[in-house]
Each structure stands twice: as C-alpha cells, then as structure tokens.
Amino acid sequence: MSIATTLSDRIAAAIPRGVSVPLPILAHHASGAEIWDADGRRYIDFAGGIAVLNVGHRHPHVIAAVQAQLEAFTHTCFGVMPYEPYIKLAERMNQLAPIHAPTKTIFLTTGAEAVENAVKIARHSTRRSAIISFTGGFHGRTLMTLALTGKINPYKAGFGPFPADTFHVPFPDAYRGGSTEKSLAALETLFKSSVEPSRVAAIIIEPVQGEGGFNIAPLEFLRDLRTLCDRHGIVFIADEIQTGFGRTGRMFAVEHAGVEPDLITIAKSLGGGFPLAGVIGRATIMDSVAPGGLGGTFAGSPVSCAAALAVLDVFRDEHILERAEKQGVLIRARLEAMRTQFPIIGDVRGLGAMLAIELVRDRTTREPAPELASRLAVRASERGLILLTAGIYGNVIRILAPLTASPELTDEGLTILEQTLSDLH
Ligand SMILES: Cc1ncc(COP(=O)(O)O)c(C=O)c1O
C-alpha cells in the first residue's frame, strides 16, 4: 500500500468527509515558500495555507517573537488580565488603517469571527439589522458568515436556515458580464423591492473576491459604494481577510481606490502562520458596543499577537509591499504568456501579487472547466507545486505565493505550472 493510500485511508477513517483534502500529502516541515512532505519530497508553496503566509513559513523573526512570548506566558484572556502584545498591535493597526479618523481595533481568532463581530458592531452602532453582501463573496463558515457568503456549493448547501435580513447583490465581475452600473442598479432595485436603505446596517465587500475567484471590484465601484453608504448612513465593511496584509501591493486593497471603509476585517496573513483575526474601525462605531459585548476566551492570543507584531516588522524591514508589486509583475507576465499558449486559459486577472487564471472549455462561450482546474492542481502537486482552486464554478487557479519568495523560486513554480498546463493539452 502506498503512503498516499495509507494517508487517504487514515484521513477517511478518522475525519469527516466534509473536511475535504484534495491533495493527500503529509506536511513534514516548511521554510519560506517551500514545504517538504514525510518522504522528503519538496514542494513550492503557491497556496500559503490559503493566504496566511505572506511572510513565508516560519519567518525567523516571527519564530523568535513567538518563542520569546512562549517563555513569558501563553494565555491570560485579555479581558481577565490584559497584555502588551495585544495593546501594541492594536496601536500599530490603528496607525496603519487607511481611515483618516480615530480608529480602534479588536482582536479575535478566525476570519469568520472577525466578520461576525463586524456585523455585530455595525448593527449595534446603527440600530439597524439588514446586511448586504455580494454574489460570489466568501465571508466564512459560521451561520451568519454563510448567510453573507454568495456561493452555494460546497459552503451553504444543506446548512440553512441562515440568520435573516441578509441580501445579495451581483458582484461587478467583468469576465462574467458584471459591471459597476449593473451592481449599482441592482442595489437601487434592492432598495425599492426588498429592503429600505434606512434599515440597512452594513454593506460588506471583498475588494478582490478570494474564494469567489479573484474577481476585482472596479475602483470606481468601491468609491460609488462609499458614496451610497454615506448617503444612507450605512456602515461600509471591507473584508480584507484574503486581500489584506500586502497581498495586492498595498497593506489593504481598498487603498488602491482611495476609499476609507468604516470597518475592516483582517485575519490570515496578519498572524504570520498563527491564528489571529481582527476588526479595525472608526472609534465612534467601535465604541458603540457596551463593555462586555465583544471578546472571547482566546481572542487575540498573546502568542499570535507577538507573531503579528513581528510580521509588521518584517513588512517594514524587508520592504514587503514593494516586493509584492514586483512579484505581481513577474507572475502576471508569465501568466499572460501562458494564456497565449494555452486556449483553456480564458482570463488572467488580479491585483498586485493576488493573481489567478480562469480555465474554460471554450474562450468564446467562456464555459467553465472546473474538472481541468482540479486536475491541474493534482498534477502540479505531483510535479512539486501546491496550487489552490477557487471561483464560483471551481474553475479558477489562484496564486498566493509567499511575498518573500525569491524571483527565482517564483519563476520555478510558474515553470511547473506551465509544464502542468502542457500535460493537460
Ligand atoms: C474574504 C474572507 N473572509 C472571511 C474568511 C473566513 O476566514 P476563516 O477561514 O479564518 O474563518 C475567508 C477565508 O477564506 C476569506 O477569504
């Protein structure tokens, strides 16, 4: 019996099917943008544990900060006895936030928890209940975040009913016929047909959809949304859980549009590989909730906060934002070249180093090819590259390589992608 079969069998026997594991590779150790399996095989990591490792696996500065924190204490619960790393991190996030008004930050553990808290804060501060999100969006796996998520399979099917008073509007997805005008018109229709704007607490949007397939919200759409929120007193929530922490070449993707959100949800690469999430927001909104209304036992773990402080140092000292831009240029050029070679690539898109290809059966009809995307990910892993699929149709290959990956390693990974695309032809 091969190791892979044994592993698949053990996973199937011990872990529910719902936890899907498309690549049966047992992680053994990792460094930077590389992972080795239990057999000593090396993989280039273009997944980063789903956008968590913008500074790479086990960055030495992050590991040193975590080790120092482990020597001091691992847990008190911030509400029981506060600690410096949480406070310092909040201060630094408040300075970094693209909001020109006093801001405050709460830390949590997972992205879904950050979105849940952003909804709670928005509802509390507006005394309204309705929340608007977008088709194709992904906001987490808890019941409220699933209500906001705009992708049925595999996330929502069979898990309802979801919390009430949530509404979806088409995302302005250019490749699939969406536009700023259509999405704005849909919002106007929603306000006429389903929910009056004076009852809407918040609109939540990913500036670039992650799970949804790296669809980019036009910058003018984000600005129009800001204007609309201002007109109706609606809280603008930017879900920067996947786009955040430098992935698009700016610390937050909304900065490309010059838009100032009211609340920003953060997670993933914030903790440099340790579980940490947060909500940054205007102090006036954040402070509407009474003492005790927000928090959690493990929320803002001191170990994760220490890691995040080190991540911020790495961003400053290693010029990660500039490197993200350069990595984006390199990846985009190679993907565009592949597009001229392989007709199954219908689209190349992204912002900064958040780039993807959309696979289609036919470039004219744009019929999605999810089976090719799954095969590509499996074949690439056999050649030593870890890739992730995405998209409402599951036909997008997204690239989330550590921003610290050298140009040579990034190029090597892209060559494997190109070879794998050749295999499929
Ligand atoms: C934009 C966005 N929001 C929320 C989440 C949920 O984060 P988590 O899986 O940490 O709960 C994700 C996760 O992929 C995400 O990409």
Side-chain angles (χ1 to χ4, degrees):
M1 202 184 269
S2 74
I3 286 184
T5 315
T6 313
L7 181 63
S8 298
D9 288 348
R10 282 180 60 207
I11 291 173
I15 296 160
R17 266 173 356 115
V19 182
S20 137
V21 184
L23 305 177
I25 301 166
L26 195 62
H28 185 268
H29 62 280
S31 172
E34 295 163 287
I35 312 187
W36 285 262
D37 71 9
D39 294 331
R41 277 205 68 188
R42 165 208 182 239
Y43 299 85
I44 296 175
D45 186 4
F46 273 12
I50 320 188
V52 167
L53 297 160
N54 285 357
V55 301
H57 290 271
R58 295 172 53 251
H59 190 289
H61 192 54
V62 174
I63 296 300
V66 166
Q67 279 168 343
Q69 185 58 45
L70 289 176
E71 291 302 320
F73 61 94
T74 61
H75 179 77
T76 63
C77 181
F78 190 76
V80 174
M81 192 181 283
Y83 38 86
E84 183 64 19
Y86 188 125
I87 302 167
K88 199 164 165 188
L89 186 62
E91 289 166 351
R92 285 181 76 173
M93 293 315 305
N94 293 336
Q95 273 177 355
L96 271 177
I99 299 174
H100 290 98
T103 52
K104 294 198 175 184
T105 301
I106 177 177
F107 293 109
L108 305 143
T109 309
T110 66
E113 202 186 358
V115 174
E116 290 275 354
N117 276 274
V119 169
K120 281 170 63 179
I121 295 164
R123 282 185 167 169
H124 205 283
S125 71
T126 58
R127 304 279 166 191
R128 302 175 181 180
S129 58
I131 312 286
I132 298 173
S133 60
F134 290 86
T135 56
F138 182 81
H139 299 288
R141 291 173 181 274
T142 57
L143 286 169
M144 182 49 157
T145 57
L146 279 181
L148 301 176
T149 287
K151 184 175 171 187
I152 297 290
N153 276 310
Y155 305 123
K156 297 177 74 149
F159 293 124
F162 302 110
D165 239 4
T166 62
F167 302 87
H168 286 97
V169 168
F171 189 84
D173 166 359
Y175 187 65
R176 300 244 161 240
S179 68
T180 294
E181 294 68 34
K182 285 182 187 169
S183 292
L184 289 176
L187 273 162
E188 285 310 320
T189 306
L190 186 79
F191 290 156
K192 293 272 178 275
S193 65
S194 305
V195 60
E196 61 277 31
S198 60
R199 228 168 45 69
V200 179
I203 298 181
I204 182 165
I205 187 164
E206 296 161 86
V208 181
Q209 289 188 327
E211 291 299 314
F214 285 22
N215 307 308
I216 308 155
L219 302 184
E220 82 269 8
F221 180 66
L222 294 175
R223 292 186 204 116
D224 290 342
L225 218 48
R226 177 69 271 182
T227 308
L228 185 137
C229 286
D230 287 341
R231 191 179 329 132
H232 297 296
I234 297 170
V235 173
F236 184 123
I237 307 175
D239 184 343
E240 294 261 10
I241 286 168
Q242 194 151 157
T243 48
F245 272 76
R247 176 52 52 187
T248 69
R250 303 282 171 90
M251 204 60 177
F252 301 97
V254 279
E255 293 177 52
H256 290 278
V259 159
E260 296 189 20
D262 298 309
L263 301 178
I264 305 172
T265 52
I266 50 175
K268 292 196 183 276
S269 280
L270 163 69
F274 291 83
L276 187 64
V279 182
I280 313 171
R282 292 176 196 273
T284 45
I285 297 177
M286 299 291 284
D287 273 338
S288 93
V289 181
L294 303 173
T297 307
F298 287 111
S301 143
V303 178
S304 297
C305 287
L309 285 166
V311 167
L312 289 178
D313 292 345
V314 172
F315 264 79
R316 183 194 56 212
D317 300 342
E318 299 186 17
H319 313 289
I320 299 297
L321 295 182
E322 291 96 280
R323 284 165 74 178
E325 293 233 13
K326 285 192 186 139
Q327 191 192 75
V329 170
L330 186 160
I331 297 174
R332 187 184 284 274
R334 294 258 346 238
L335 294 181
E336 291 289 1
M338 289 179 217
R339 184 173 132 79
T340 60
Q341 213 184 332
F342 305 109
I344 58 168
I345 301 182
D347 195 24
V348 173
R349 59 173 176 263
L351 197 58
M354 186 169 182
L355 286 151
I357 51 177
E358 177 153 355
L359 303 185
V360 290
R361 294 216 177 92
D362 178 322
R363 271 194 187 163
T364 318
T365 63
R366 302 188 175 183
E367 188 188 343
E371 68 293 341
L372 286 180
S374 313
R375 263 197 1 243
L376 186 74
V378 172
R379 293 273 181 89
S381 75
E382 288 160 6
R383 284 181 171 272
L385 175 68
I386 304 295
L387 286 176
L388 281 179
T389 59
I392 196 158
Y393 304 101
N395 65 327
V396 174
I397 295 285
R398 53 179 153 167
I399 296 180
L400 291 162
L403 302 174
T404 49
S406 69
E408 295 72 27
L409 195 73
T410 310
D411 224 32
E412 192 186 335
L414 290 161
T415 300
I416 298 177
L417 174 62
E418 189 176 343
Q419 289 163 345
T420 316
L421 281 160
S422 264
D423 294 346
L424 292 187
H425 269 74

